[in-house]
Amino acid sequence: MTECVECGADVTLHDNAEVGEILDCTTCGAELELVERNPPVLDRAPELEEDWGE
Amino acid sequence: MQVGILYSRIRKDEKLLLSELRERGHDVVKIDVRDLQFGLDEAPEIFADLDVVVDRCLATSRSLYATKFCEAYGVPVVNSAETAQTCADKVQNSLALAGAGVPTPATDVAFTKESAMESIESFGYPCVLKPVVGSWGRLMAKIDSRSAAEAILEHKATLGHYEHKVFYVQEFVDKPGRDIRVLATDGDPVAAMVRSSDHWLTNAAKGAETEAFELDAEAKKLVQQASDAVGGGLLGVDLMEVGGGDEPNYTVHEVNHTVEFKALNDAADADVPAEVVDWLETKAAAKQEVVA
């Protein structure tokens, strides 16, 4: 469990969450990036950029 | 083996790969390219002792430079910088396919609104205008009339990045409501699916429905040729069904170098991450043989 950096609500991580994975805050809907696993640290996810893709 | 994964965002695709690699007991080093500085001489320490690096950068620009640096440091990387360079740019992609004799949609490139308009008029309506760099169906325009063409060209020339002033004009391929995505390792198909939609864009990222697809001999041959044309590697080859009779049954519109495969893994019977890791193991083993 950790805190949304946008709204402060509790965010629960699933068991196999990876650093670099994007999570949604179920309270405010913000896209968050997991930047540390132990202990969990979240940051705002980067915005989509024009050259992103496959 | 010791595998480095270059990334800046972990999608389901990367999670599937990471799980498969770890389950097989490989050492995985996650390399967030946002944290690195790439010097000209020495590799960042994190690259030491890696047998192979897999480029999974979400941003094309990062992919191009990071793979270039890997090669400069002597670190084997998939896909290669050459493959990334060719696939990342639709103009280079089209030239590579056409140069290798792979059927691909008729395409013009023009540098001014006026010359682009001449291309559009010569293709007739509808035709298609695409950005030279981009994915997931973004900024693709199906042009139905001269007035629409004028507006889009004006917008691109005025509002766009300089790359949007490279006008990539393509014939509209009247595909049967679907296209085909093939994931291949050095041209060997791992799995294929059709992506179907009522919309003219049938990208999975646009919500197209997916279903497994059985490749025939002609499609397999084209996948191999298309892969070779861009330098090989772990690739997503996109085909459309056309013609028939004496004409080719398919046209290859592009090859993708940081291929996403989560939708394919769900649609097809193949265990895509397992087959990709099988292939990575052979790549790493080949490198060890060369070094020994």
Side-chain angles (χ1 to χ4, degrees), chain A residues 53, chain B residues 9-15 56-58 260 262:
Chain B
R9 185 182 262 203
I10 299 293
R11 294 163 285 182
K12 188 178 172 190
D13 312 83
E14 283 73 45
K15 288 190 80 165
R56 297 296 307 173
C57 289
L58 188 57
E260 294 172 322
K262 52 186 173 287

Side-chain angles (χ1 to χ4, degrees), chain A residues 14 16-22 31 33 35 45-54, chain B residues 7 9-10 15 18 22 30 34 58-61 135-136 138 164 181 256 258-260:
Chain A
H14 49 89
N16 66 347
E18 290 271 354
V19 168
E21 192 173 337
I22 304 302
E31 275 204 327
E33 178 182 352
V35 292
E47 294 292 323
L48 174 72
E49 296 200 43
E50 196 175 305
D51 71 337
W52 284 18
E54 61 177 358
Chain B
Y7 79 98
R9 185 182 262 203
I10 299 293
K15 288 190 80 165
L18 289 167
R22 287 173 181 149
K30 285 169 63 183
R34 294 171 298 178
L58 188 57
T60 303
S61 49
S135 294
W136 304 335
R138 286 167 300 175
H164 291 291
R181 156 59 59 87
N256 298 279
T258 45
V259 55
E260 294 172 322

